[in-house]
Amino acid sequence: MAGTQRQDQKLKTRNHIIEIALNQFAKDGLTLARTADIASAANVSHGTIFSHFKTREILLDEVIEEFGRRITTRLHELVSSDCDMRDVLEAHLRGISEYETFYTRLILESRLLNESSRNSIIMIQSAISFHIIQVAERDIKECKIREIPLDLIFNTWIGLVHHYLINSDLYTKEGTLFDAHGKRLIDHFLNLLNK
């Protein structure tokens, strides 16, 4: 019984560190956030960080993977099998807006990260792409949208989203970017696809 309680506490501490690290990386940047600051914000010793994660890079990888699980799980929850393109795009933006600052850091700093972290980002984008392409294939077959190469459908959407996130200071002063401009971006993108 004591072993189980100890394991439960260890898992709880590990998850708490990941949660705090996600916020700290969002605030300070993926390349600049310090483990000492994460430990302080998590109210644990600096050594506790390294007892759960051997290196800072492993911690960052775990945080990116956790973010990826959350955003793709959220997308799976929000998108049903009978959804249309608007539904999947709205679900994508809602998922991002919950972690907008962290996601923006991922976009801005991805080229500075190690290969493992970059691969995790690719996996996140692949999961998002899967849903968008799945709906696009059906909509093309049903003649609801123009026949456009599927990779261009996803790349155009993600390029639009990333442009607005990277330049969010030009588009919104407070609140989330997608609360302010999400509907407009979706409407514009759907106009590009419609016949």
Side-chain angles (χ1 to χ4, degrees), residues 14 47 96 134 139 156 179:
R14 186 179 193 286
I96 290 173
Q134 189 176 37
D139 286 356
T156 302
D179 285 344

Side-chain angles (χ1 to χ4, degrees), residues 19 34 64 81 106 155 170 180 188:
E19 187 67 34
R34 300 175 327 140
I64 292 171
S81 60
L106 277 180
N155 290 339
L170 300 175
H188 172 70

Side-chain angles (χ1 to χ4, degrees), residues 132-151:
I132 292 173
I133 287 174
Q134 189 176 37
V135 172
E137 284 177 325
R138 188 184 66 227
D139 286 356
I140 288 170
K141 192 179 286 186
E142 295 173 4
C143 296
K144 292 181 179 177
I145 63 174
R146 292 186 300 130
E147 192 164 332
I148 299 171
L150 296 172
D151 62 320

